[in-house]
Amino acid sequence: MLTEHSKNPEQFEISNSPTIQLVERDLGDTGESSRNFHIFDVYDSEEQIIGMVNVSLEPGLNQAIITDVKVENPYRDEGYGKAIYKKMISYAKENGLQLRSYSSSPNSKGVWESLVREGLAEEIDGRYYAK
């Protein structure tokens, strides 16, 4: 499960991407929905918060779905959004899950299409799936 990684946050350097650190927020245990919903704060290499990502788990489907990604204004267009998606692909793989898109806003679609060009994702019936 994704929560295990947040207990020992690490920095991740992905080639051609900024170095980021993901730290999961403690949402408490308010039932099944809280166990399937995760919010990660995103920090840069200087430990400045630069954004966040929401992920929903789909029990039984072995899927993790990015439902929202926010990158603060001063950090946009610097590759942080793509670095977040790449890190979430890694998390999903490490936990036996497939990462997929929830919706295709113009920004998320651009990131997913970039991941498709890099061979890290594919589009099937209008949804994006990490490979």
Side-chain angles (χ1 to χ4, degrees):
M1 201 177 209
L2 297 177
T3 55
E4 292 303 311
H5 294 282
S6 63
K7 294 177 184 173
N8 298 309
E10 301 175 29
Q11 285 193 328
F12 301 96
E13 189 168 345
I14 302 165
S15 62
N16 300 322
S17 295
T19 300
I20 62 171
Q21 179 179 351
L22 301 176
V23 179
E24 187 170 3
R25 292 184 194 171
D26 183 3
L27 302 178
D29 189 2
T30 58
E32 188 65 30
S33 64
S34 69
R35 287 189 291 276
N36 293 326
F37 185 74
H38 305 269
I39 299 174
F40 294 86
D41 290 315
V42 182
Y43 296 85
D44 67 7
S45 60
E46 296 175 8
E47 298 184 4
Q48 298 293 311
I49 190 160
I50 59 140
M52 51 80 68
V53 58
N54 296 343
V55 178
S56 177
L57 302 181
E58 290 293 323
L61 296 178
N62 294 327
Q63 291 183 341
I65 302 166
I66 292 180
T67 58
D68 194 20
V69 174
K70 300 278 188 213
V71 176
E72 297 294 332
N73 282 335
Y75 300 95
R76 292 187 182 165
D77 299 320
E78 300 292 328
Y80 286 103
K82 189 172 179 180
I84 292 168
Y85 278 75
K86 285 181 174 183
K87 187 66 239 144
M88 295 313 299
I89 289 171
S90 251
Y91 271 137
K93 284 182 181 180
E94 290 170 11
N95 289 282
L97 302 169
Q98 182 181 40
L99 189 69
R100 77 168 176 86
S101 66
Y102 174 70
S103 66
S104 292
S105 71
N107 288 336
S108 68
K109 186 173 182 173
V111 173
W112 279 107
E113 288 175 350
S114 176
L115 295 171
V116 168
R117 286 191 299 275
E118 290 184 31
L120 298 173
E122 60 188 340
E123 182 181 3
I124 302 172
D125 296 327
R127 289 217 168 137
Y128 294 95
Y129 297 84
K131 290 185 177 181

